[in-house]
Amino acid sequence: MTFYKPVFSFLFLIIISLQVFCQQVGIGQWRDHLPYHKTIATAKGNNIVFAATPNNVFSYEINDGNLTRYSKVNGLSDVSVSTLNYDNSLEILMIGYKNGNIDLLKNGRIINIPDIKRKSISGLKSINKIYFRNKLAYLACGFGIVVLDPVKEEVKESYLIGNNSSTLNVYDFTANDTSYFAATEKGIFYADINNPNLINYQNWNTLQTYDNPNNAYSIVKVFNNYLIVSKVRENNQPSVNYYSDGTSWQILDTNGVFKYEADGNKLISAHWGFLTIRNAQLQAESWVVNPGGKVIIPLDIIADNQGYWIADERLGLVNINKTGTAYNSYFPNGPTSTSGFKVSAGSGNVFFVQGGRDDALTRIWSFGVVNRMVNDNWISYLSPAIPGLDTIFDFVNVQPHPSDPAHFYASSWGHGLAEFKDNKLVNFFNETNSSLQPARDAQGNRLTLRTDGLAFDEGGNLWVVNSLSAKALSVRYTNGNWESFDLSTVTTGDITSIVIDQNNYKWILCRGNKIAVFNQKNNQQQLVWVNPNKGSDMQTGEVHSIAVDHEGEIWLGTDKGIKVIYSPGSAFKNGNSGESSIQTQTILVVQGGYVQHLLESELINSIAIDGANRKWFGTQKGGAFLMSADGTKEILHFTTENSPLPTNAINSIAIEPTTGEVFFGTDYGVYSYRGTATEGFETHENVVAYPNPVEPGYNGSIAIKGLVSNAQVKITDAYGNLVYQLKADGGQAVWNGKNHAGKRVSTGVYLVFSMNETGEETFVTKILFIN
């Protein structure tokens, strides 16, 4: 008995001390970081309510309150959700997308039906509405009507109901006992429900509605022998809703309606800011306004015995009782922005901004919002929660302070520089309180104040690039003072990025295929510019991204792939002004038996360096690449086809150094992948292995983190027999749980020995395997 007590105590301590690490996303796994507060459609199953956002789906379990996310990370086939609906008789959720794709959630599985998406169709493919009848789904699509069998998981037939079988955008679809009804861009169409040949457009007719029958209608609803339709609002005219009892048409009201929902013998209509409850004769009896003091924008609504479930524009999935006195809102934690224009990471925090300029460097008047993830929870800094942000637009970059991630700066493409600390906007810098300067026209009139690239030097001073200003480089010293520097001899246009190398040189991307290099030493300024094509056998037109690797080399992402400056310390070798003599070089790789320049067919939007000095490249059309430290070997290549990435256009990449998680910013949201490399240390720091213990059935990777950089790692059994050896990627080693023969190790305690290259710095930890 006493023999087992130490073993039990060891196991207990491992479980308690490492349970937090077991909750982390595993090596090689993905997760999404998407907003869930805007919902566009809702549907209810057995004690579960589903809500669609413009990018994904989530569910709320009524009995236990659990929220579950559905995205490309865990099985959805696409992004840009347009609608959803649930068939209670089949217990199937159907999800429609803007590109015509369809997913079914049935029996705990997600099944994709891509027929519409793949088919060559003249017209829009969007699935606008889903209507279930007799175990079939009728889809109102951007080109017509599709009938789908969810049991057989196949398209049964489709109806092109325009003249001569032409396409029509069908917004809504319903039926009564005798007819089908379709709300389209050219009126309300109807057909005999028993007609076996609805493929023939001549069997569809247009209803003679209240006014012009060719008006566009967005809603058609059958309720208590009434047919209710909503005309699409045009030319700033009020929306008009009509109803017919079968003999004549009458105006119901002129309030804009998002959805009509039957609740027994009541009809509920969802409007901007309120609900209207009507009796069986369509007479308004009551209204629900500002439930719980909240202004609602219900884009969809369903009714049950628990009240109303609302898909709200801003508040997620909302549940209110039928008197409007009780209110609850449900949605998973996430950022408030979809667009990941620029992602930054450091010290356990991740930041991103949604962007404020287009490809031509023109500002787009995007609201000033910063999203920050700390402890896996997203915080959004936006107006009115943060006073002062209501007048700031077009954030394009964000940079946390190296020693305090709660203290960060966000640069604006038009307004200046914002400083945040402890969840508050504490400063906003422009020409009145800093060295930053706006652009001015020929008459001296103030234009925009464009800031973008941000970087801290080793002394903690913040460097900022300031476009369209003669003194286009500014620094805020640690004492709060500002100073600016004249770059007019090398650039007069827009500048976007800055990095600082190991020589403390500032490398600045300038429009016009120039790279400015600035240094301040002993109060003397050095300034040159580098021609990216000098000495290179690959001529490029524009540099779009820049990074400094762990060896001090400068990596450039161009419109035709990658170039490298291997000797950045020679930038000022031939003087302190004009064009530098420094040259760029290309990397040659073999692809398909041919020697090519690295990624020569790709425009490189972003470069990130992981803890093992490997290079991540985010491209405009080709997805994301992970290359070896020297760039000659492709390790990973992620696209929409082999990963959850929503698009192959990667705006930016950032790596959280302590976990190795790689964050990809796209126009469709931020996604992340848990890589194998973390930043290493000179000494072992808080070494931990996880998961630990390795439980039965676990076949994933085991990570050992907190190691010295590129440590040599040996794993032995309790008797000292060598089981496996490997080299760390930066500060993390990843083991597959097998010995060198490829066989999973037996139950027991295994020792992990780590040492640096000289063997002077060592560490030992343990991993418990349970089979």
Side-chain angles (χ1 to χ4, degrees), residues 169-192:
N169 196 342
V170 180
Y171 299 110
D172 200 4
F173 187 91
T174 193
N176 61 15
D177 293 338
T178 62
S179 302
Y180 292 120
F181 301 94
T184 81
E185 61 181 320
K186 292 184 179 180
I188 302 294
F189 282 68
Y190 71 98
D192 185 342

Side-chain angles (χ1 to χ4, degrees), residues 9-312:
S9 300
F10 173 68
L11 172 61
F12 178 77
L13 288 173
I14 286 179
I15 293 173
I16 295 299
S17 62
L18 298 178
Q19 59 182 346
V20 64
F21 297 101
C22 296
Q23 297 169 3
Q24 295 181 354
V25 61
I27 299 292
Q29 294 183 352
W30 290 81
R31 56 177 173 167
D32 68 76
H33 307 276
L34 302 172
Y36 289 88
H37 62 282
K38 177 179 179 177
T39 53
I40 58 174
T42 185
K44 186 173 182 292
N46 184 22
N47 291 316
I48 188 169
V49 184
F50 297 93
T53 81
N55 307 284
N56 43 39
V57 173
F58 68 90
S59 65
Y60 171 75
E61 295 184 40
I62 297 172
N63 291 338
D64 57 22
N66 285 339
L67 289 165
T68 301
R69 309 169 187 234
Y70 299 91
S71 71
K72 282 194 72 178
V73 168
N74 61 353
L76 292 190
S77 64
D78 225 313
V79 294
S80 297
V81 177
S82 56
T83 190
L84 56 73
N85 203 358
Y86 189 88
D87 189 308
N88 282 280
S89 66
L90 299 175
E91 297 185 344
I92 292 176
L93 178 74
M94 183 176 293
I95 303 167
Y97 298 89
K98 289 183 179 180
N99 62 3
N101 211 352
I102 297 167
D103 281 335
L104 302 180
L105 177 58
K106 56 190 271 191
N107 301 323
R109 297 185 303 123
I110 297 174
I111 298 150
N112 180 230
I113 303 177
D115 301 46
I116 299 174
K117 176 183 176 180
R118 293 177 178 174
K119 191 173 182 62
S120 178
I121 296 173
S122 174
L124 302 173
K125 293 185 179 182
S126 177
I127 313 297
N128 297 322
K129 284 292 189 298
I130 301 169
Y131 175 76
F132 288 107
R133 181 179 183 275
N134 294 338
K135 297 186 178 181
L136 293 176
Y138 293 80
L139 312 181
C141 302
F143 58 91
I145 300 160
V146 172
V147 185
L148 189 145
D149 187 333
V151 176
K152 295 182 179 180
E153 301 166 9
E154 64 184 17
V155 172
K156 187 172 182 288
E157 54 190 5
S158 59
Y159 311 140
L160 300 181
I161 63 177
N163 285 334
N164 298 314
S165 295
S166 60
T167 60
L168 276 181
N169 196 342
V170 180
Y171 299 110
D172 200 4
F173 187 91
T174 193
N176 61 15
D177 293 338
T178 62
S179 302
Y180 292 120
F181 301 94
T184 81
E185 61 181 320
K186 292 184 179 180
I188 302 294
F189 282 68
Y190 71 98
D192 185 342
I193 206 167
N194 296 311
N195 191 318
N197 188 26
L198 295 182
I199 295 176
N200 187 343
Y201 78 96
Q202 294 178 325
N203 290 322
W204 291 85
N205 298 289
T206 306
L207 278 177
Q208 298 299 311
T209 49
Y210 186 91
D211 53 10
N212 187 339
N214 292 321
N215 280 329
Y217 287 85
S218 60
I219 297 175
V220 58
K221 176 73 176 178
V222 173
F223 172 75
N224 194 28
N225 295 322
Y226 292 104
L227 184 66
I228 303 166
V229 299
S230 293
K231 187 170 70 172
V232 173
R233 180 176 177 175
E234 296 177 343
N235 300 323
N236 295 321
Q237 296 299 311
S239 298
V240 181
N241 310 297
Y242 305 108
Y243 70 95
S244 172
D245 57 6
T247 59
S248 63
W249 287 93
Q250 304 291 330
I251 295 178
L252 183 61
D253 63 39
T254 57
N255 291 312
V257 174
F258 295 110
K259 175 73 179 293
Y260 288 106
E261 170 73 359
D263 182 19
N265 63 352
K266 305 288 186 182
L267 180 70
I268 317 302
S269 54
H271 312 268
W272 184 285
F274 66 97
L275 307 177
T276 301
I277 294 88
R278 299 178 183 274
N279 62 21
Q281 289 73 44
L282 301 184
Q283 296 169 329
E285 291 186 334
S286 61
W287 292 264
V288 174
V289 182
N290 295 346
K294 299 288 186 178
V295 177
I296 57 173
I297 308 175
L299 303 184
D300 195 10
I301 180 173
I302 53 177
D304 65 7
N305 56 9
Q306 295 174 313
Y308 306 123
W309 296 92
I310 292 170
D312 191 89

Side-chain angles (χ1 to χ4, degrees), residues 600-618:
E600 64 180 357
S601 62
E602 303 289 350
L603 186 155
I604 312 299
N605 283 330
S606 182
I607 304 173
I609 314 297
D610 73 10
N613 204 31
R614 302 177 304 183
K615 279 68 182 179
W616 285 91
F617 301 118

